[in-house]
Amino acid sequence: MSRGIAPRSRRPQPIARPGANTGRPKRAIHRTVTSASKTLALVLDKKIPVQMHCYRGDQMATMIDVAKEFGFRIAAFHHASEAYKIADLLKQNDICAVMWADWWGFKMEAYDGIQENIAMVDHAGACAMIHSDDPIGVQRLNQEVAKALAAGRRMGYPITRAHAVAWMTPQSRRRRWASSTKPARWKTGRWPMS
C-alpha cells in the first residue's frame, strides 16, 4: 500500500451524479461522510441548536439572517460583547447572549463592549447569561453577576439580586436549553422542560 492512497476498503464509494440521461457515461463524484458533515446535517435538520461564538452586533445580526435563510436555530451567542446593540433582535429570535461582566477592549472585535451589556440585554427582555473564560473567574460567577448588577443599577434599571442571580443559574427554561447538549425540541414551539 502506498502512502497517499487509502486501501480499497476505505475509499469512498462513487455516487452517480443525478441529471438527465445524455447518452454519455455519468460522472461519479466521491463523497465521504465525516462526523462534521453528520453534525451539520443534524443542525440543518433542526435537531442540534447552534452555540455560536460572536463578538460584534453586526456579525450576530448577519448570523441570525443566515440561520433564517438555511432554517437552523441559534441557541446562544457566546462572548457577545456588542449584544446590547441588537438586544431587540435577540428577543425577537429567542436567542440567548452569554456575556462577560466587564471584559472588553482586549481585541478589535471587543472594542465596543460596555459594562452595562448584560443589564441592557436583560432589560430589553432577551435572554442574558453571565460567562467567563477564566477557570478562576468561573468559580466566582457571583462576583461577575454583582459587577453586571451594579452597572445595570447605575443605568437606572431596577434589578433585584434574585433577578441577577438568574443570569448565572439555569432557572429559566431558555437558559437550561441554551446550555444543554440534549436534542432540541424547540421546533414544537415549546422550550424543553416546559
Side-chain angles (χ1 to χ4, degrees):
M1 173 171 76
S2 88
R3 253 188 119 159
I5 301 174
R8 194 172 252 314
S9 61
R10 289 192 200 165
R11 287 187 191 159
Q13 297 301 313
I15 300 171
R17 188 175 179 194
N21 187 0
T22 60
R24 291 181 284 161
K26 293 182 180 176
R27 293 189 312 183
I29 57 172
H30 291 279
R31 178 175 58 178
T32 56
V33 178
T34 63
S35 61
S37 62
K38 287 178 185 176
T39 302
L40 181 58
L42 290 171
V43 165
L44 294 174
D45 286 342
K46 301 178 184 178
K47 293 181 180 170
I48 296 179
V50 174
Q51 305 282 331
M52 185 147 306
H53 176 272
C54 236
Y55 290 93
R56 294 180 18 199
D58 61 332
Q59 293 172 341
M60 289 181 266
T62 299
M63 287 314 303
I64 290 170
D65 289 342
V66 169
K68 287 179 182 177
E69 182 177 343
F70 289 97
F72 64 90
R73 167 93 173 106
I74 298 173
F77 285 114
H78 291 261
H79 297 174
S81 297
E82 296 181 12
Y84 67 95
K85 293 180 178 181
I86 60 158
D88 57 338
L89 195 56
L90 295 172
K91 180 182 178 184
Q92 289 169 7
N93 291 282
D94 220 7
I95 297 173
C96 287
V98 185
M99 303 161 278
W100 292 297
D102 59 356
W103 288 16
W104 51 273
F106 53 89
K107 64 180 180 175
M108 190 64 150
E109 297 89 351
Y111 275 3
D112 276 354
I114 58 173
Q115 292 178 332
E116 297 83 3
N117 194 14
I118 295 171
M120 290 175 74
V121 170
D122 183 71
H123 184 72
C127 173
M129 298 169 66
I130 196 82
H131 170 76
S132 178
D133 279 347
D134 180 49
I136 295 172
V138 167
Q139 298 174 24
R140 294 171 179 81
L141 284 180
N142 60 330
Q143 294 173 6
E144 297 298 306
V145 167
K147 289 191 275 187
L149 170 64
R153 285 182 174 172
R154 281 192 302 271
M155 285 195 68
Y157 296 145
I159 306 167
T160 65
R161 282 192 205 169
H163 183 80
V165 166
W167 296 339
M168 71 173 181
T169 58
Q171 292 180 7
S172 78
R173 291 175 282 148
R174 282 192 299 182
R175 286 178 180 83
R176 275 185 257 142
W177 187 73
S179 61
S180 173
T181 57
K182 294 180 183 177
R185 291 180 225 143
W186 63 272
K187 60 185 170 185
T188 62
R190 290 175 285 143
W191 287 96
M193 299 181 247
S194 57

